[in-house]
Amino acid sequence: METMGLSRAFWEGKRVLLTGHTGFKGSWLTLWLQSMGAQVTGFALDPATEPSLFALARVAEGIDDRRGDVRDLGVLLELLAEVQPEIVLHLAAQPLVRESYRDPLGTYSSNVMGTLNLLEAIRQVGGVRACVLVTTDKVYANREWLWPYREDEALGGHDPYSSSKACCEILAQSYGASFFNPQQYAEHGLALATARAGNVLGGGDFSAERLIPDVLKAWSADEPVTLRYPKAVRPWQHALEPLAGYLQLAAALYEQGPVFAGAWNFGPDDADMCSVGEVIASLASQWPQAPGLRVEPSDMHEAGLLRLDSSRARQLLGWQPRWSLQQCLEQTVGWHMAWQAGKDMRAVTLYQLNLYKDWS
């Protein structure tokens, strides 16, 4: 039996606006929505990398593919008025911690003002029934403690990226209270939620200064990989895991309204809380003659330990991870090797998506 938020019966024919659809997670999500019959309008800048999953998997096929910047309120107002989406999934962002140190102004502008513009366009145009704003697990004031963070923990953010996403959470809370208050749901008709996920892996991520893309790039060139924080522990998961959560959350908001509003964590099982060094060791076991690694500590701050408590999503949405970290790494390496072998990457990506959807 399919979960409502992951079924074609729910999504077929739904008008969906997906921002950031040219990115890594956005590309996977676009293909998933497409496979369930949704009418997808994607709005984003051009892909940030070359190559990109968006291009290799021909993600633009079969959708309304738009280019634009979420920092432009006028464009967003025109887009929503034209498309009249029922559901909005907001993934557009500057997503890299180290880039946020180099360009804090651009990071805050894209993440905070971009989110504000989208919320304001939704408020002015109307008609949207469900909106999921994707932030990050890094929105918490990380005290490096051993127990996992719950959705009601204090917000914070040491680096510009993390704090910009914490700002987005506060924005969502403010708009939710001021303009989309559950008590006036009959008037405005919108249920609003935020989604916080951990580090994601998967085929097609070519971003710079991300662990797995950096490792695969180095090893493909027969070079050792450089690690900045080998002892750092992260909540690793395949990109499809939180994407399933976003879909289930959006469907719950659409069908049942503001009872599902607020913040939601989507993190892996405790068994998949591993250090960077452990992840690389596991990856090396699947790579023929891995060239090894070297450690070069960075002077930029990054969290050493971060865990999420996803019990709310498990209990109320029925969401739970399907793939172990080992399975995630196997699928990621398999995708990368298929790309190197010149395979049809749309077919490979859809095969892995269907494999995940059929997993039990």
Side-chain angles (χ1 to χ4, degrees), residues 72-109:
D72 190 330
L73 175 59
V75 169
L76 285 173
L77 286 167
E78 292 177 3
L79 178 68
L80 266 74
E82 176 189 349
V83 174
Q84 292 291 308
E86 302 166 83
I87 297 173
V88 174
L89 301 167
H90 179 48
L91 276 67
Q94 192 297 99
L96 302 174
V97 171
R98 292 172 67 81
E99 177 62 22
S100 76
Y101 282 111
R102 289 188 289 265
D103 184 16
L105 183 60
T107 298
Y108 284 107
S109 177

Side-chain angles (χ1 to χ4, degrees), residues 314-335:
R314 292 169 183 265
Q315 293 170 14
L316 300 183
L317 292 174
W319 173 88
Q320 62 179 355
R322 299 187 180 191
W323 282 348
S324 67
L325 177 59
Q326 187 64 27
Q327 291 166 319
C328 168
L329 293 174
E330 288 172 0
Q331 295 299 319
T332 302
V333 171
W335 192 100

Side-chain angles (χ1 to χ4, degrees), residues 55-319:
L56 292 173
R58 305 191 301 281
V59 175
E61 293 182 4
I63 69 165
D64 181 8
D65 178 25
R66 305 288 186 102
R67 291 290 180 275
D69 195 323
V70 290
R71 291 173 290 189
D72 190 330
L73 175 59
V75 169
L76 285 173
L77 286 167
E78 292 177 3
L79 178 68
L80 266 74
E82 176 189 349
V83 174
Q84 292 291 308
E86 302 166 83
I87 297 173
V88 174
L89 301 167
H90 179 48
L91 276 67
Q94 192 297 99
L96 302 174
V97 171
R98 292 172 67 81
E99 177 62 22
S100 76
Y101 282 111
R102 289 188 289 265
D103 184 16
L105 183 60
T107 298
Y108 284 107
S109 177
S110 295
N111 297 353
V112 182
M113 291 308 299
T115 300
L116 177 59
N117 285 339
L118 180 65
L119 287 171
E120 182 59 16
I122 290 171
R123 185 182 76 85
Q124 290 192 32
V125 175
V128 177
R129 286 183 53 173
C131 177
V132 177
L133 306 176
V134 175
T135 61
T136 174
D137 60 351
K138 298 177 181 64
V139 297
Y140 295 105
N142 190 359
R143 296 178 173 86
E144 304 281 343
W145 55 35
L146 296 176
W147 52 88
Y149 291 87
R150 298 178 180 177
E151 287 88 347
D152 59 358
E153 304 280 3
L155 298 175
H158 184 285
D159 58 89
Y161 166 74
S162 301
S163 65
S164 75
K165 286 296 192 174
C167 290
C168 293
E169 291 282 348
I170 296 172
L171 266 177
Q173 292 172 12
S174 175
Y175 263 68
S178 301
F179 307 114
F180 309 125
N181 192 298
Q183 304 304 319
Q184 284 83 47
Y185 179 64
E187 299 173 21
H188 56 72
L190 174 70
L192 173 67
T194 60
R196 306 164 180 175
N199 287 36
V200 294
L201 314 176
D205 187 0
F206 295 97
S207 299
E209 299 178 326
R210 273 193 181 146
L211 179 65
I212 302 304
D214 285 352
V215 170
L216 296 180
K217 181 178 180 180
W219 287 354
S220 296
D222 199 30
E223 298 174 353
V225 66
T226 300
L227 300 183
R228 299 186 298 270
Y229 305 95
K231 295 182 179 180
V233 176
R234 297 285 189 271
W236 310 98
Q237 58 189 340
H238 196 282
L240 292 173
E241 304 283 18
L243 294 182
Y246 306 163
L247 292 171
Q248 289 177 249
L249 177 56
L253 292 167
Y254 186 95
E255 292 287 348
Q256 301 184 51
V259 67
F260 284 92
W264 297 80
N265 285 341
F266 297 100
D269 291 327
D270 285 346
D272 292 327
M273 291 291 302
C274 300
S275 71
V276 168
E278 290 170 328
V279 170
I280 298 307
S282 180
L283 198 64
S285 69
Q286 303 176 45
W287 192 271
Q289 298 179 332
L293 57 87
R294 57 175 175 256
V295 177
E296 293 182 4
S298 171
D299 57 357
M300 293 183 182
H301 174 272
E302 286 191 27
L305 176 63
L306 182 60
R307 298 173 62 199
L308 292 181
D309 182 333
S310 304
S311 55
R312 186 182 185 216
R314 292 169 183 265
Q315 293 170 14
L316 300 183
L317 292 174
W319 173 88

